[in-house]
Amino acid sequence: MSTKRLNEEKRPMVEKAQNGINDENDLEFSGGVGSWSRVHVITSFILLALLQAMTWNFWSPISKTALEVYGFTDADVAWLANTANIAMLVFLPAAAIAVDKLGARTPTVLCAGGVLLCTVLRVVPQVFAWSGVNLGHDAALAVNVASMIFNGMSATWLNFAGPALSETWYGAKERAKVTALISVAPYIGVSMGFLIGPVVVPEGRAGKTAMENLLWACVGVAVAVFVAVLVHFPNAPAVAPSRSAARRTSIRSELTVEGDGYSSSKQICGEVCLFQRRSVKSLWIICVTFSLPFGVLSGWMAVLAIVLRDVANVGAKDAGFVGCAMTMLGCVSGMVVAAINDRYPGRMKSMILLLSTLATACFLLFGLQALHYWEVPQALRRPVLFATSIGGGCFLNANLPLFFELAVEETYPEITGSTSTYVLTLGNTFVQSLFLAISFVPGASQDSARWMNWIMMLATPLFTLPLVFMKVLYKRHQDDQATSGRTAARWFDGYGW
């Protein structure tokens, strides 16, 4: 809808919302008082995100057993994962629209239902086998492809919900920690897939019964999570936990676009002034700074076994350990950094730049050794490669909740938190897919480790530069701290344009 379709009597309210000068007496908020409801909402959502990610990474860690039982080749297993990625990329826009129009409950229930359907479809071959019908390789693969479509559809909202849910349910001094918990849940779920599958399921034909039991266990957990979400998952608490959350609620309830029979609540987003507002410019800068390094890192980690094999003849088991360590340490460091941000707000840009610098140093040392520009003693070659790659992934992954929170801060109140983080997630997924697609280009696959290491070395320092010159205003934080009279930005965050 264009600006012309806004009712004239609502223009003063729009201008006030954009300038952040709504009458504070009209805003009712609780200050983030705890309740069982918010604990249930966040806990059930985190469990759902963990389950979705773990079921996405189900087949790869037990590929040998899958080959013996269903005849799934390595290419089949790879395409199952790619099917979920493609489905996620396709349905991301629809998920963002659904969240803005319907609130958090409906998309979350649909995601829980999608994960449940994913797990149920995977046991279909077993159900047919009980009745004496063997589906065969092609039918079993088709059923599992369908299950991964539902898995990818469910991954959409689960991967960018953190800031929106934390702002809706938690006060200003708790938001970053909750954002971190929700944002790292999918990564922990992937790591759980690497651990649970090989531990529970023996390799080869001997693991058939254990694999089937694990599939049914996933169905049971999915049913429990679906019921938990269905029974209680409101869109928002009765009273907003902060002044900024109350202001967003006020904007959504008052700003209505009418005409041609259309009427719905609207946030002040690109429909008011898409490419002219500072919030949109800041969002694109943050999107580039986040999507390029993180997308490259995600693609690089997906082929880490190939990279380490070509560089130092590292086996798949050791490569899996390195990838798992990068992810888990990144999750822990992300939660630690988020807690520091809650304690000392107004420093997100500075912390992102510091962590990106440390990640750049690690990947630079890794790349110089991998590309033979820096020779180390043979006895130290593997330890140095492992330490630098784990350190680089740890420092870069720690930035994840900070980027999500920074995007919401700088686009407040014009753009909703779900829209801001959706843009970042879409960019990250696109860059990751593009990075992996290059490896299929004729000629590129012959020396894949070399160019992948070059891109990994250069992505973070080059694409973090725009953030250096962006002045961070912390509009949401200023709104929440309106009565304190203190400047929000600290350290280097107040410098830039």
Side-chain angles (χ1 to χ4, degrees):
M1 297 295 173
S2 65
T3 310
K4 295 180 180 179
R5 302 184 67 173
L6 289 169
N7 292 334
E8 290 299 326
E9 62 271 16
K10 293 171 185 173
R11 289 187 183 278
M13 189 282 300
V14 175
E15 293 173 359
K16 286 183 180 181
Q18 290 175 341
N19 294 322
I21 56 174
N22 290 31
D23 186 359
E24 293 180 8
N25 295 327
D26 294 337
L27 301 177
E28 181 184 1
F29 58 95
S30 64
V33 178
S35 68
W36 74 270
S37 183
R38 72 174 190 174
V39 174
H40 175 87
V41 165
I42 299 303
T43 301
S44 59
F45 192 91
I46 290 174
L47 290 175
L48 177 59
L50 288 171
L51 181 61
Q52 181 276 322
M54 191 183 70
T55 52
W56 175 81
N57 193 34
F58 184 88
W59 294 113
S60 179
I62 58 170
S63 57
K64 291 185 178 180
T65 304
L67 175 63
E68 291 292 334
V69 177
Y70 293 132
F72 290 170
T73 63
D74 289 345
D76 293 334
V77 171
W79 271 112
L80 287 173
N82 286 337
T83 299
N85 292 338
I86 294 170
M88 177 182 173
L89 193 60
V90 170
F91 287 98
L92 262 175
I97 294 172
V99 172
D100 281 336
K101 290 186 177 296
L102 304 175
R105 174 177 170 79
T106 300
T108 306
V109 171
L110 290 176
C111 288
V115 173
L116 178 57
L117 285 174
C118 167
T119 58
V120 168
L121 284 172
R122 290 182 177 180
V123 298
V124 167
Q126 298 177 42
V127 174
F128 274 92
W130 292 342
S131 61
V133 178
N134 185 3
L135 290 184
H137 169 269
D138 292 343
L141 181 61
V143 169
N144 278 276
V145 166
S147 77
M148 293 304 283
I149 292 176
F150 285 108
N151 186 281
M153 293 169 61
S154 303
T156 51
W157 165 232
L158 301 179
N159 277 271
F160 68 87
L165 290 180
S166 65
E167 181 184 74
T168 301
W169 289 93
Y170 285 81
K173 294 184 179 180
E174 303 169 301
R175 284 192 300 242
K177 291 191 288 288
V178 178
T179 296
L181 285 171
I182 297 174
S183 300
V184 304
Y187 296 90
I188 297 177
V190 172
S191 298
M192 289 172 60
F194 280 117
L195 296 176
I196 295 177
V199 170
V200 175
V201 181
E203 291 187 354
R205 175 65 63 172
K208 180 178 183 296
T209 301
M211 185 187 73
E212 292 175 347
N213 292 337
L214 184 57
L215 286 170
W216 280 105
C218 290
V219 174
V221 175
V223 170
V225 173
F226 177 76
V227 171
V229 171
L230 186 64
V231 169
H232 183 77
F233 202 101
N235 284 326
V239 181
S242 64
R243 181 181 287 106
S244 57
R247 193 182 305 284
R248 280 205 199 272
T249 302
S250 175
I251 292 172
R252 290 178 65 91
S253 62
E254 294 180 35
L255 182 61
T256 305
V257 179
E258 296 178 351
D260 299 334
Y262 177 78
S263 176
S264 67
S265 296
K266 287 287 185 180
Q267 75 279 13
I268 307 174
C269 61
E271 295 170 356
V272 174
C273 204
L274 182 56
F275 292 110
Q276 298 176 12
R277 297 202 55 79
R278 184 188 186 278
S279 294
V280 178
K281 182 189 73 173
S282 299
L283 179 58
W284 285 118
I285 292 175
I286 297 170
C287 181
V288 169
T289 307
F290 169 81
S291 299
L292 273 299
F294 271 81
V296 170
L297 175 64
S298 299
W300 187 75
M301 288 181 63
V303 293
L304 186 62
I306 298 174
V307 172
L308 292 176
R309 182 195 64 199
D310 293 349
V311 169
N313 197 28
V314 175
K317 184 177 181 180
D318 289 337
F321 162 76
V322 172
C324 184
M326 291 171 67
T327 303
M328 295 302 292
L329 289 177
C331 293
V332 173
S333 58
M335 288 185 283
V336 171
V337 169
I340 294 173
N341 179 71
D342 278 339
R343 181 67 177 84
Y344 303 101
R347 300 169 173 84
M348 277 192 281
K349 171 185 168 181
S350 299
M351 287 193 286
I352 288 173
L353 293 177
L354 175 60
L355 291 168
S356 296
T357 301
L358 294 173
T360 298
C362 290
F363 286 127
L364 180 63
L365 293 176
F366 178 92
L368 290 176
Q369 181 181 348
L371 297 168
H372 304 290
Y373 291 108
W374 174 43
E375 296 296 337
V376 298
Q378 187 65 32
L380 297 177
R381 186 168 177 79
R382 283 196 176 192
V384 171
L385 284 172
F386 290 0
T388 52
S389 58
I390 292 173
C394 173
F395 290 128
L396 197 56
N397 281 323
N399 274 333
L400 178 67
L402 293 181
F403 268 112
F404 279 180
E405 284 291 300
L406 184 62
V408 177
E409 286 282 352
E410 291 308 290
T411 57
Y412 173 85
E414 294 91 346
I415 304 175
T416 61
S418 58
T419 302
S420 301
T421 50
Y422 149 70
V423 172
L424 268 61
T425 304
L426 183 64
N428 177 31
T429 306
F430 174 78
V431 173
Q432 177 185 354
S433 302
L434 182 62
F435 182 88
L436 293 174
I438 296 176
S439 63
F440 291 99
V441 175
S445 59
Q446 297 177 3
D447 198 13
S448 58
R450 186 173 184 84
W451 65 262
M452 286 180 179
N453 288 329
W454 271 111
I455 294 178
M456 191 66 254
M457 269 199 307
L458 299 175
T460 302
L462 288 180
F463 296 107
T464 304
L465 280 177
L467 186 63
V468 176
F469 302 102
M470 189 188 85
K471 183 177 181 179
V472 182
L473 299 180
Y474 292 103
K475 292 183 288 184
R476 184 179 64 167
H477 181 70
Q478 285 181 334
D479 194 3
D480 285 326
Q481 303 296 325
T483 57
S484 67
R486 294 179 295 177
T487 303
R490 297 289 187 271
W491 295 351
F492 299 107
D493 291 44
Y495 295 94
W497 294 275

